[in-house]
Amino acid sequence: MPEKYENAKGYKDCWYALTANRLLVTLGGLNEQVNCDVCVIGGGFTGLSAALELAEKGLSVTLLEKETIAGSASGRNGGQVLRGYSKQPGALIGSYGLDTARQMSNISLEGLALILGRIKAHAIPCDLKFGHLTAAMNGGHVKELKKDIDDLHRLGQNDVTWLDRDAARALVHTEAYVGGLFDQKGAHFHPLNYALGIAQAAQASGAMIYEHTAAVDIVPGSPCKVITAEGGTVIAKHVIIAGALDIKGLGPVRRTSLTATAHIVSTLPLGMDAARQVMSRDIAVADARYIMDYYRFTNDYRLLFGGNCNYSNREYPGEGTRLKKRIKKIFPQLENIEIEHCWHGPLDLTANAMPHVGRLAPQIYFAHGFGGHGVIATNMMGKILADAVAGQTERFDVFDKIRHNPLPGGDLLRRPLFMLGMLWYRLRDILG
Ligand SMILES: Cc1cc2nc3c(=O)[nH]c(=O)nc-3n(C[C@H](O)[C@H](O)[C@H](O)COP(=O)(O)OP(=O)(O)OC[C@H]3O[C@@H](n4cnc5c(N)ncnc54)[C@H](O)[C@@H]3O)c2cc1C
């Protein structure tokens, strides 16, 4: 019989792990044969959302997670719950036309409602708070963000507003900002606790969740066979590949994205008074640069601050120190700040800044490439994949139609070329 996992081992040195409501009890190391309607591979937001939706539809679900539930990007991110996609609203309209862009934007807002509805329905304690500012740091950003607001209005989203320099600085107390786009529906939360709550809700509806179980091969057919590294087999009518997974045969799909590494630090608790010297409300903030700073306060008033993405797929020492310097540059009032935790996670980036969604075979669905704007998009895509399995493909088709080319350069030059492209964005950020 598979071993049972009851604790949080495997989450490493991430503040979220240390504050996880880990009540989840899962199965582990699948080494026998199980049968089900749908095998979901990947226990991040995409997979968990799909598993919950499928189980609520009355389908039998087996979810396989290589390590721990939400132990990768989904449980290690900035926790900023933002409408839209990595692609700017204007680019969305330019690439896909107003009607499709509007459909995609509505789907994103539906994703926000889905998350809020699930938090409420399953009473998930995840420190949810509202309000988000995208801050302009120069005149170019002001122009871009004002255009974003116009484009969002064209998409029917009239609930975002422009804050001038004084209004932005009254909200976030730094001289670095000269205005910003305020989204009252934007939110932030503890992503790992949210994910664990979704996993428990999926189990309560009957989903079987296996941790420490890696899928290594998928044999298409009716039914499909998913083989695990531990010698188990899942016989399933449908398979959902949820996230940027390394499984035999996925090569052509995976060549449309590359993984970058994003870093986050959390400080020692600052207390409410010091937090109020940084911002007058507990909102989430990101600046308008391509390689941006993004931050918010946790429930116990730690500043949780992300930035410094690297594109080489290598770890460099000293990220914590670099982020600490950055915090002090934006907020000189935090001169004596102490960093307690520093961690990183994978950002799965596509060339067109949209998720790559489709079918490998009639019964095998996949979704990956959510980039740094994935909290809402992954949760919604999990539902969309579950709906497609159940025969409702209208919204799946919207994303399936997006064209994704493999990133150029072949296996050898793909990453160096990608790094060169990112250097251009970094320069653009520096030159303003
Ligand atoms: C540091 C950081 C900060 C971010 N901040 C934000 C933010 O503030 N707001 C926002 O919207 N987005 C943010 N993002 C992006 C967001 O976190 C991701 O887009 C999203 O979590 C991706 O979810 P996923 O389900 O696709 O993948 P993941 O969360 O990566 O889940 C995939 C899972 O599959 C498992 N797996 C891999 N291979 C196998 C296999 N062979 N068999 C079984 N399981 C396997 C992995 O272990 C992993 O748990 C951030 C990302 C990072 C890294």
Side-chain angles (χ1 to χ4, degrees):
M1 277 299 285
E3 197 184 336
K4 285 193 170 186
Y5 286 92
E6 297 188 31
N7 60 26
K9 74 182 170 185
Y11 289 121
K12 304 169 197 143
D13 183 30
C14 167
W15 176 79
Y16 294 128
L18 303 169
T19 48
N21 300 324
R22 172 79 202 204
L23 302 170
L24 186 72
V25 178
T26 63
L27 299 162
L30 177 64
N31 56 8
E32 58 190 4
Q33 180 175 314
V34 296
N35 298 281
C36 60
D37 292 320
V38 190
C39 177
V40 176
I41 310 175
F45 286 148
T46 314
L48 292 168
S49 174
L52 173 57
E53 189 69 26
L54 289 161
E56 284 179 344
K57 288 181 194 299
L59 297 172
S60 59
V61 180
T62 301
L63 183 146
L64 308 179
E65 164 52 50
K66 184 169 79 167
E67 294 176 5
T68 36
I69 286 299
S72 189
S74 297
R76 303 168 75 74
N77 60 55
Q80 305 206 358
V81 186
L82 301 176
R83 70 174 81 195
Y85 305 88
S86 295
K87 208 177 185 79
Q88 298 301 101
L92 214 57
I93 298 170
S95 298
Y96 312 119
L98 187 59
D99 287 348
T100 303
R102 197 171 271 172
Q103 220 175 342
M104 289 169 168
S105 299
N106 289 342
I107 286 173
S108 165
L109 278 188
E110 201 188 316
L112 172 62
L114 178 78
I115 290 174
L116 302 183
R118 283 174 169 173
I119 290 173
K120 196 166 172 201
H122 304 291
I124 301 174
C126 59
D127 310 340
L128 178 71
K129 288 187 179 153
F130 288 93
H132 184 272
L133 179 75
T134 309
M137 301 185 78
N138 56 46
H141 293 165
V142 170
K143 241 165 117 181
E144 280 168 26
L145 291 175
K146 285 188 170 173
K147 180 174 175 334
D148 282 353
I149 293 179
D150 288 344
D151 291 329
L152 284 166
H153 289 180
R154 285 174 73 199
L155 294 171
Q157 304 198 6
N158 298 314
D159 45 5
V160 290
T161 45
W162 175 251
L163 300 187
D164 65 14
R165 181 193 184 97
D166 288 349
R169 288 184 182 182
L171 198 53
V172 182
H173 312 316
T174 170
E175 291 185 8
Y177 298 160
V178 295
L181 181 162
F182 186 68
D183 181 355
Q184 58 189 325
K185 283 195 179 150
H188 61 97
F189 66 5
H190 189 305
L192 179 56
N193 281 340
Y194 167 78
L196 291 170
I198 296 294
Q200 275 183 268
Q203 283 181 325
S205 290
M208 304 298 288
I209 296 185
Y210 291 81
E211 293 185 294
H212 302 282
T213 302
V216 288
D217 198 3
I218 305 169
V219 185
S222 303
C224 305
K225 249 194 221 174
V226 177
I227 316 291
T228 74
E230 296 71 23
T233 309
V234 183
I235 308 287
K237 290 181 197 146
H238 297 274
V239 176
I240 292 180
I241 302 163
L245 319 186
D246 288 318
I247 305 177
K248 204 170 150 190
L250 287 192
V253 167
R254 294 288 288 109
R255 277 180 212 126
T256 59
S257 72
L258 262 183
T259 305
T261 306
H263 295 84
I264 297 188
V265 291
S266 62
T267 65
L268 285 171
L270 303 182
M272 193 167 82
D273 291 346
R276 289 289 166 263
Q277 286 174 31
V278 170
M279 57 175 85
S280 51
R281 276 177 55 194
D282 280 342
I283 60 164
V285 183
D287 67 48
R289 293 171 310 146
Y290 186 79
I291 301 164
M292 67 193 68
D293 299 328
Y294 51 98
Y295 54 90
R296 64 190 183 86
F297 280 100
T298 60
N299 245 15
D300 62 352
Y301 291 109
R302 293 164 192 271
L303 181 63
L304 197 143
F305 192 100
N308 272 2
C309 204
N310 88 55
Y311 299 94
S312 64
N313 210 19
R314 277 199 217 124
E315 266 318 293
Y316 299 107
E319 283 300 346
T321 311
R322 279 191 279 278
L323 284 173
K324 180 175 174 176
K325 251 195 193 154
R326 183 75 197 155
I327 295 173
K328 291 208 247 182
K329 185 163 181 206
I330 305 293
F331 299 110
Q333 62 270 46
L334 296 182
E335 176 53 29
N336 298 319
I337 203 158
E338 290 297 338
I339 304 295
E340 194 173 20
H341 304 287
C342 176
W343 65 92
H344 60 86
L347 285 185
D348 187 34
L349 306 171
T350 57
N352 63 8
M354 287 299 283
H356 185 194
V357 178
R359 285 188 190 91
L360 274 182
Q363 309 82 351
I364 305 178
Y365 296 79
F366 67 85
H368 70 111
F370 293 93
H373 208 116
V375 170
I376 290 183
T378 50
N379 276 279
M380 191 57 201
M381 200 54 71
K383 174 174 165 48
I384 289 174
L385 294 175
D387 289 345
V389 163
Q392 294 167 273
T393 59
E394 193 192 318
R395 287 177 307 172
F396 171 82
D397 293 340
V398 172
F399 292 92
D400 185 27
K401 278 189 197 135
I402 298 177
R403 196 180 155 82
H404 287 267
N405 294 320
L407 290 162
D411 286 348
L412 206 62
L413 291 180
R414 189 173 298 121
R415 187 165 291 277
L417 284 178
F418 179 67
M419 285 168 67
L420 212 60
M422 290 302 141
L423 193 63
W424 184 83
Y425 282 109
R426 205 179 278 271
L427 273 174
R428 209 182 68 160
D429 282 345
I430 292 168
L431 299 174

